[in-house]
Every structure is written in C-alpha cells, then in structure tokens.
Amino acid sequence: MKKIYSYLLISFFIVLASSCDKGFDELNINKTAATAINPVFTFNNALINASFPAGIVQYEMGIVQQMVTPNSGVVAGANFNQDNRDATQQTWQRYYRTVVLYTTDVIKTVKDVPARSNLLNMARIWKAYAFTILTDTYGDVPYAQAGKGFTDQIVLPKYDTQQAIYTDIIKELTEASAALDAAKTRETADILYGGDIAKWKKLGYSLLLRVGMRLSKVDANLAKETVQKAIQGGVFSSNADNAFIKHDANYVNGVGQMLNSTEAANFFLAAPFVDYLKKTNDPRLKAIAVRYVGAGSGSDQVASRASTDPAIQIGMPLGYDNNTVKAPAAAAGLASFYEYSQVDRTRMTKVASPMFLVTYAQTQLLLAEAVQRGWATGSIEDYYKNGVRAHMEQLAAYDANSTIATEAIDTYLKNNPFDTANALEQINTQYWVASFLNGPEAFANFRRSGFPKLMPNPFPGKSIKGEFIRRLTYPNSEISVNSVNVKEAIGRQGNDDLDSRVWWDK
C-alpha cells in the first residue's frame, strides 16, 4: 500500500511540474519589444550624426583662418600647425561609427525591397556625402569594405584610393538621384526633408556638382562632364532646399557645445576673416561677431560687455601662444587677448544652432565658377550675387538677431560689384565666407581653388614643412589595429602627416 501511495505521489508531482512548464517559454518573451527596426529610423541616425564634431574648429576652421586659439594642450592644432590626433580623429570616429555604419545597414536591408526604393537611394546619396567628407579630409580611406564589420565580419577593411572612391561616388550620386521616384513610397519619417523626393533629387545633384568641381585641377574633363550632369539633373534652387541638421537641448551642436562650455573663452575669430569682412563693410560681421569690450579675463566675457558693432571688431592675429599674444593685444589697445572678437555663441553657435552641410549659397557660387570655366551657361554675375545674398539670408536661421536686412544686402552688392577680371578669386573668397562653420567644406575648397589668398600661419616651431596643412592624419586606433591596410595606404599616398596631399590636390 505504501508503494502505491509513493507512486501516486511521484505521479502527482510530475503532472504538477509539467503543468508549471506549460507556457513558461512564452512568459519569457517580451511581447511589446520591437523585433525589427524600421530602416528609416536607422537612416535618421545616419542623418543626425553627420553634424560635425567640435574638432573642425581646431583644424579645418583654423587652417582656413576663420577661428583661432592661442592655447595649447587639448585644443592645439592648426593654431600651432601641429598634429593633435585627439582632434584629427573626431570626424573619422563620428562618421565611420555612425553615418557609414547606418547607411550601409539601410542599403543592405532595403536593396531587395521594391517598396522602399526611395529610402535605398536616399541612403546611397547620404553615404556618398559622408565619403566625400572622409576622403577629402584624410585621402585614401576604407570605402568598399567600410561599414561591414557586423554584417560581413570585415573588421579590418582595406583602404581604397581617393581616385577610385571619387569614381564610385560619382556613379552613386548619378544613379541614386536619377532613380528617386515621387510616384513610389514616400519616407515621411525622414528628418531631413520629410521624404520630399524633389528635394532629395536636388541634394543628390548639388552634391554631384560639388564633387565635379572638386576635380577641377586634377581632371578637368571629368570635372566638366560631372558638373554638366549635375546641372542637367537639377540642383538647389533656394534656401528652402538647404541640407542642415537641426539641434536641440538633447541633441546638441558639437561646435556650440564646446564654445558654450569648457572652451567658451578660448576661441576667437581670426584676423584674416574679420579683416576681410570689415574691409568690404560686410553686414555678416555684425551677424556673426561679438567683442567683450574691456575683458581682462575669460570671466569678464559677460553680456554687459558684449558689442556686435562691426566697427570695433578685432580679429586675433595668427602665430602666437597665450603668452606672446599679449603684446599685439596691448598694441591694439585691448585689456587682454580675451577682448579679441569671437563668434557670438548666444546667436551663431548656440548648443541648439543648426549645422549647415550643403547649401543653396554654395551651389550658386559653384555654378558661377562653372560658367567662368566654360562648363555651364548663364550669367556668372547673377549666380555670384545669388550666392552672396543666399548666405546672408541664411544667417537668420541661426538666430533672429543675426538677420540681415534686404537693404543691407543690396547695399553690399552695390558697393562690392562683381569683377569679371577677378572672377575665380572673388567667387571662391565668397565661398570661404559662405562656408563659415562648415570647416570641412571650407578646407576642401581652399585646397582646390587656392582662395582666399591667405598668408601662412607664422607660428614658430611648426611641425609642417609646407605653407598650409593639406590633410588630417589617421587615428592612432587605425594605425594600431588596422596597421597592415593603413601602411599600404601610406605607402601609396605619402607620409601620414599634415603635409601629404590628397589625390585631387596634387
């Protein structure tokens, strides 16, 4: 009897255990968690992360002499013509870890989904844009194998030549722009243009125009052919087409974040930039600059001392550190070097300021040069004036207090007429101004065109052999981890230093 009782008891617990297991797997599944991400949201991450990091102030904007700091340490860079890889790597790390990774993932995800063809081609355009930034900044970079570490386990990508990269970028921009179709699914969640196909087409062709003009001194025939394809496709037609990244208190402008925190008192508008704007009575100086009159230290840079009067703005001269700059500051009658003009961080470089990447103003100026070179038709003067006016009007997007009145723009254009005999210099000097706060583009166009005519930074003990920095160096992480492929690229391109030139700059 005891045996029967034991068997019954064991059977009871077996049944009980099996009933407890029933549905146990389902209980451990989160039925509200996403199992897949809509690729347009991945794409949005690629868009917002294209906003430039703070390092562009230390290098690209410093090289073209728009901003400068007399300080060393973590902010050393173009101010001393020295290689600071903590700053030079910032664009590389940002773009490869986000923009390239996410666009590559989107393209792989939707390439065989006809209903998402517009998203596919938008991603192709944005990826091409990202690689113009990367290759123009560093030269030969990972391209064909880039962004495939997770999907294809390619963790040590090979470096492609810049010439090969440009060839494929031209193909990608041409094909993707043409393939965009307003009759197909509109990706309304897209945070750049809300899926507006007409605007995406204009962006693709405006980038193609930029890419074509970049080749003007290395391959004039290809440059001309590419420029004409872009114009035929249809480029930006107003400031409403501008490609820019919006920021807010949660997703901040990297330049604005730096200039409103640790380095608020340490970066200044460079003398060549301020002097040019003052010489031509450019109304943009009042929209951009502020001077803290009588400031004896960084803590004296307060609102009560702030003046935006263009007549009293003084740019910081290049070639000095924070000890030697005291002499020219005193000679200029300043209380200290903290009294030199700065970009106004309460208007132009707020943490929520937009970051403009490709603009109508730049596009019009490139068209003016294309006409001057005989690669396009139309009025050079009209394109030139449109470009200058567009950039002046664009400044209102930073802050209402940076708005330039139409009358002031008209007066400027009247008093500074277009000079056909000096077309290339005038167009590209205006491009320099129109690319303010877009360091990578200002740096690239300066190397390509040779304008504006700047005197080399005279800082003693510079680490470069030439007159200007020509490219940024590879990150130490690449050199240590992907050493074989980096060495191959260096052997092909030239020393990994600030003097080596990229392919289209040779």
Side-chain angles (χ1 to χ4, degrees), residues 429-505:
T429 301
Q430 284 294 335
Y431 198 93
W432 173 60
V433 179
S435 298
F436 181 65
L437 296 176
N438 184 338
E441 185 58 22
F443 178 40
N445 199 67
F446 169 66
R447 288 175 289 163
R448 177 192 73 85
S449 70
F451 298 113
K453 291 181 178 178
L454 300 172
M455 295 298 293
N457 180 349
F459 189 83
K462 64 183 182 181
S463 64
I464 62 172
K465 298 181 180 67
E467 294 185 332
F468 294 96
I469 294 170
R470 307 307 297 193
R471 64 175 282 273
L472 301 193
T473 51
Y474 296 127
N476 287 329
S477 57
E478 274 293 293
I479 295 170
S480 61
V481 175
N482 197 11
S483 58
V484 172
N485 290 318
V486 175
K487 287 178 182 177
E488 181 183 358
I490 292 171
R492 182 172 60 229
Q493 179 173 257
N495 293 333
D496 183 30
D497 56 33
L498 303 174
D499 283 296
S500 296
R501 292 174 179 250
V502 301
W503 165 70
W504 52 253
D505 187 33

Side-chain angles (χ1 to χ4, degrees), residues 280-281 410-417:
T280 57
N281 291 317
D410 292 340
T411 299
Y412 175 83
L413 291 172
K414 179 181 179 181
N415 294 338
N416 296 275

Side-chain angles (χ1 to χ4, degrees), residues 58-59 68-87 258 262-263 265-268 316 319-325 337-338 457 459-461:
Q58 291 166 248
Y59 274 96
V68 65
T69 178
N71 296 337
S72 57
V74 296
V75 293
N79 52 335
F80 300 151
N81 280 322
Q82 293 177 350
D83 189 4
N84 175 1
R85 299 200 183 206
D86 285 340
M258 180 180 74
T262 56
E263 306 303 331
N266 297 326
F267 279 90
F268 302 84
M316 178 177 279
Y320 299 93
D321 61 24
N322 56 10
N323 285 316
T324 59
V325 76
F337 69 79
Y338 291 101
N457 180 349
F459 189 83

Side-chain angles (χ1 to χ4, degrees), residues 357-414:
L357 305 178
V358 189
T359 68
Y360 171 61
Q362 293 167 332
T363 301
Q364 289 290 292
L365 292 168
L366 290 177
L367 288 172
E369 182 177 342
V371 174
Q372 195 277 336
R373 290 180 178 275
W375 298 347
T377 59
S379 168
I380 303 177
E381 184 173 1
D382 286 348
Y383 283 133
Y384 171 83
K385 287 182 176 179
N386 288 344
V388 174
R389 182 181 298 277
H391 183 248
M392 290 187 179
E393 293 175 344
Q394 177 187 316
L395 297 186
Y398 291 95
D399 191 274
N401 291 323
S402 287
T403 301
I404 299 176
T406 301
E407 295 79 9
I409 300 174
D410 292 340
T411 299
Y412 175 83
L413 291 172
K414 179 181 179 181

Side-chain angles (χ1 to χ4, degrees), residues 306-370:
S307 175
T308 61
D309 181 357
I312 70 165
Q313 301 305 320
I314 304 174
M316 178 177 279
L318 284 82
Y320 299 93
D321 61 24
N322 56 10
N323 285 316
T324 59
V325 76
K326 294 174 183 177
L334 306 183
S336 74
F337 69 79
Y338 291 101
E339 199 179 337
Y340 280 115
S341 297
Q342 296 180 301
V343 60
D344 193 340
R345 53 187 179 269
T346 70
R347 294 181 296 156
M348 293 291 294
T349 53
K350 296 177 290 190
V351 294
S353 288
M355 180 76 74
F356 286 87
L357 305 178
V358 189
T359 68
Y360 171 61
Q362 293 167 332
T363 301
Q364 289 290 292
L365 292 168
L366 290 177
L367 288 172
E369 182 177 342

